[in-house]
Amino acid sequence: MAEALYPYSRQEAKGRGELARWKRSHQANVKCARDIKNLIVSHTQDGQLEADCARTALDWWGFPRVQLVLSNTLRGASGQGFDPDALHWAQTAQVPYEKAAGEFKLQADSALLAQFLRQTYEEYQALAMFGPGHCVEADQDYAGKVLVLRPDRLREECWSAQNQLWYGECGFGCSPASRGRAVYATCLGDGEEARWNREDFMGVLDEQYLPDWALERLAELRSPAQEQGEPVQEQNNGPAQGGMEMG
């Protein structure tokens, strides 16, 4: 099984005492980029990428790491020659800004890279997950809102729309103006309560996309009895404690 993707920079990892995890993940990022480059070369016929190229990469490395490598590679790309929706999806992955990220920048023909990106995005769309296009402006208070969790904050076996939707309840991170990060929320899918960081969410769901299965749970959480609960105060700035947090 591939090393779990580590989402923080080397500097943050050092501060957390997790430098060994960062190093293992970084080495996996470098190997993933190299493997994708080799797959593109070996799966190209007459200038066209074979249909199973991206699927093979995803089977080897999983969505979070493949998306991270693509995001790192396409950071600042103008979009010329790339599917705009696929490019936007790739660039939503959060890449720590550090010199070491250059080591897993994918080197490939731009036309073939565009085909690989499109294949990967089509595989992602088949999962029917929520994305940035389902969110309204992110710079708002999260309390009392339906929030969309970034998929890369979940273990890949937990990737589903049901696990992405959370009801923001309290925590200093609910406010976009606060220095605090904690957001205490309840999963609309299974009722799990967890502490996340504000940056773990893409933003607030545009409720025109709210699925029927979530309506009853949302009504319960927004009931007057629930709203009278005491707010939870942020205890620390550590990582999320949800059971579905990425390993």
Side-chain angles (χ1 to χ4, degrees), residues 39-98:
L39 280 170
I40 289 175
V41 171
S42 64
H43 285 65
T44 297
Q45 295 289 336
D46 299 323
Q48 295 297 312
L49 207 59
E50 295 175 357
D52 63 341
C53 186
R55 182 68 262 168
T56 301
L58 293 169
D59 288 343
W60 288 356
W61 291 104
F63 273 103
R65 179 160 274 113
V66 171
Q67 185 186 15
L68 183 77
V69 169
L70 287 171
S71 180
N72 185 51
T73 302
L74 298 168
R75 182 189 296 166
S78 65
Q80 185 174 3
F82 293 96
D83 178 284
D85 291 333
L87 181 62
H88 181 66
W89 168 77
Q91 292 175 333
T92 60
Q94 294 182 327
V95 183
Y97 283 78
E98 53 188 20

Side-chain angles (χ1 to χ4, degrees), residues 194-215:
R195 175 206 185 279
W196 298 97
N197 291 332
R198 184 178 177 90
E199 62 269 22
D200 292 328
F201 297 99
M202 293 182 185
V204 175
L205 181 72
D206 184 336
E207 292 197 15
Q208 68 172 307
Y209 299 114
L210 188 68
D212 291 341
W213 57 261
L215 288 172

Side-chain angles (χ1 to χ4, degrees), residues 67 84-93 121 124-138 142 146-152 154 159-165 200-211:
Q67 185 186 15
D85 291 333
L87 181 62
H88 181 66
W89 168 77
Q91 292 175 333
T92 60
Y121 181 58
Y124 177 77
Q125 284 184 303
L127 298 175
M129 302 278 280
F130 291 102
H134 298 105
C135 298
V136 295
E137 185 178 348
Y142 281 179
V146 178
L147 310 176
V148 181
L149 188 68
R150 296 180 182 276
D152 61 6
L154 296 166
W159 277 29
S160 71
Q162 286 82 355
N163 290 334
Q164 274 191 287
L165 296 188
D200 292 328
F201 297 99
M202 293 182 185
V204 175
L205 181 72
D206 184 336
E207 292 197 15
Q208 68 172 307
Y209 299 114
L210 188 68

Side-chain angles (χ1 to χ4, degrees), residues 1 64 154-160 163 244-245 247:
M1 184 176 180
L154 296 166
R155 297 186 183 92
E156 194 165 350
E157 61 266 26
C158 295
W159 277 29
S160 71
N163 290 334
M244 293 181 295
E245 181 196 0

